[in-house]
Amino acid sequence: MHKKTHVKKRAKSPQELRGRIWIDGKEGTFLGYGRIVLLEMVREHGSITKAAKSMGMSYRHAWELVDSMNSQARRPLVESSTGGKGGGGARLSEDGKKAVKLFWKFYADFQNFLKHEKKALTLLK
Amino acid sequence: MHKKTHVKKRAKSPQELRGRIWIDGKEGTFLGYGRIVLLEMVREHGSITKAAKSMGMSYRHAWELVDSMNSQARRPLVESSTGGKGGGGARLSEDGKKAVKLFWKFYADFQNFLKHEKKALTLLK
DNA sequence: AAGCGTAGTATACTGAAGGGAATAACGGAA
DNA sequence: TTCCGTTATTCCCTTCAGTATACTACGCTT
């Protein structure tokens, strides 16, 4: 056995440790990087429509993300209204602001963790 | 603005911090959880076919993962042969064994990190 | 020489994620 | 009353990851 080993082209190994963190809820993902950025864009622009555009994301997708977050939080993270001045809009609730802060705290800790782990990455020398 | 807030059904917040880590290479993912388990199954069963079956994975997908790992490593992690006793087979190279060990080290560190971070997760009280 | 189970490869199918577009409801402003 | 921009919702389409299937090449064993 193992007489003929199949060898193919290989790279020069610029390997890098990567990772993601998120917070799960009952319906799957509750908060993740993209969702948090979306919350920030909602706060900044005052509407889901503009937040979506600023991220190059379809309104449909943005609305689904907001709906998913609101339905998994104890209280809505985004409060929205239709009609009225400017046609309506959306804004971050106090819980929404807290969620953003909390996630960035975890995120910073995680980036720090990755940084320290990379020092040990002398893979397959 | 914000006269009528749209409220929907919401869950009871059994939120949990989750995450993934992996090692990137030139072609994207080099080593991740599933790939490492696949390497272990190859070592245990001596063939890509059986390894794939043991994971409920198609042979094609398993072969592509092995090919991706081999082509991004300096030296192949899996050595395979066709024909002969049993029709051929596959086995883990020394580098393959090292890759498995190294990943589990990172993985354990990461699980430990998550465990400690969870203590701070008193989300949206 | 024939059989066997594997590696390796190509093609078609499937399902889920997400984009695009269309539409109704809404409620201030003009 | 009409206009306007947004939320909320629906339907269709594309893309992509992975499955299913079928086939050839291989080389030891009998």
Side-chain angles (χ1 to χ4, degrees):
Chain A
M1 207 187 289
H2 310 300
K3 260 217 165 164
K4 182 183 179 185
T5 295
H6 303 274
V7 182
K8 314 195 88 178
K9 58 192 175 330
R10 251 168 282 107
K12 290 174 250 63
S13 318
Q15 289 137 359
E16 187 168 3
L17 187 59
R18 290 269 166 77
R20 288 191 215 283
I21 54 168
W22 67 92
I23 297 172
D24 259 9
K26 288 234 157 155
E27 305 167 12
T29 302
F30 170 42
L31 299 176
Y33 184 93
R35 288 168 183 239
I36 292 299
V37 172
L38 178 59
L39 291 184
E40 290 185 325
M41 292 301 98
V42 166
R43 174 164 56 180
E44 184 174 330
H45 292 104
S47 89
I48 297 175
T49 297
K50 289 174 186 165
K53 278 181 185 161
S54 77
M55 296 176 70
M57 176 188 295
S58 70
Y59 171 82
R60 179 182 170 275
H61 187 42
W63 184 88
E64 283 173 350
L65 292 178
V66 168
D67 185 59
S68 169
M69 287 187 274
N70 276 349
S71 65
Q72 294 186 81
R74 300 195 186 168
R75 294 182 296 269
L77 305 187
V78 171
E79 293 166 343
S80 57
S81 59
T82 65
K85 181 191 170 199
R91 65 188 196 83
L92 230 55
S93 69
E94 281 308 310
D95 281 2
K97 293 172 186 171
K98 284 181 189 171
V100 169
K101 265 189 189 170
L102 181 72
F103 184 84
W104 287 136
K105 160 69 167 57
F106 285 143
Y107 188 79
D109 287 350
F110 181 53
Q111 293 305 314
N112 199 43
F113 165 80
L114 286 182
K115 191 171 159 187
H116 289 314
E117 286 291 321
K118 281 175 186 174
K119 293 180 182 175
L121 180 60
T122 49
L123 185 59
L124 303 181
K125 177 191 53 185
Chain B
M1 207 186 288
H2 310 301
K3 260 216 164 167
K4 183 182 177 187
T5 296
H6 302 274
V7 181
K8 313 197 89 179
K9 57 191 177 332
R10 248 169 285 107
K12 292 175 249 61
S13 317
Q15 289 137 359
E16 187 167 5
L17 187 59
R18 290 269 166 77
R20 288 191 215 285
I21 53 169
W22 67 92
I23 298 173
D24 258 9
K26 287 234 158 157
E27 304 167 12
T29 301
F30 170 42
L31 299 177
Y33 183 92
R35 288 167 184 240
I36 293 299
V37 172
L38 177 60
L39 291 184
E40 290 186 326
M41 291 301 98
V42 166
R43 173 164 58 181
E44 184 174 331
H45 292 104
S47 87
I48 297 175
T49 297
K50 289 175 185 164
K53 277 181 185 161
S54 75
M55 296 176 69
M57 178 188 294
S58 68
Y59 171 81
R60 180 180 172 277
H61 186 43
W63 184 87
E64 283 173 349
L65 292 178
V66 167
D67 185 59
S68 168
M69 288 188 273
N70 277 349
S71 65
Q72 292 186 82
R74 299 192 186 170
R75 293 182 296 268
L77 305 187
V78 171
E79 292 166 344
S80 57
S81 58
T82 65
K85 181 190 170 199
R91 65 188 196 82
L92 229 53
S93 69
E94 280 308 310
D95 281 1
K97 292 173 187 170
K98 284 180 187 171
V100 170
K101 265 189 189 169
L102 180 72
F103 184 84
W104 287 137
K105 161 69 167 56
F106 286 143
Y107 188 79
D109 288 350
F110 181 53
Q111 293 305 313
N112 199 44
F113 164 79
L114 286 181
K115 191 172 161 187
H116 289 314
E117 286 291 321
K118 281 175 186 173
K119 292 180 183 174
L121 182 61
T122 49
L123 186 59
L124 303 181
K125 178 188 54 185

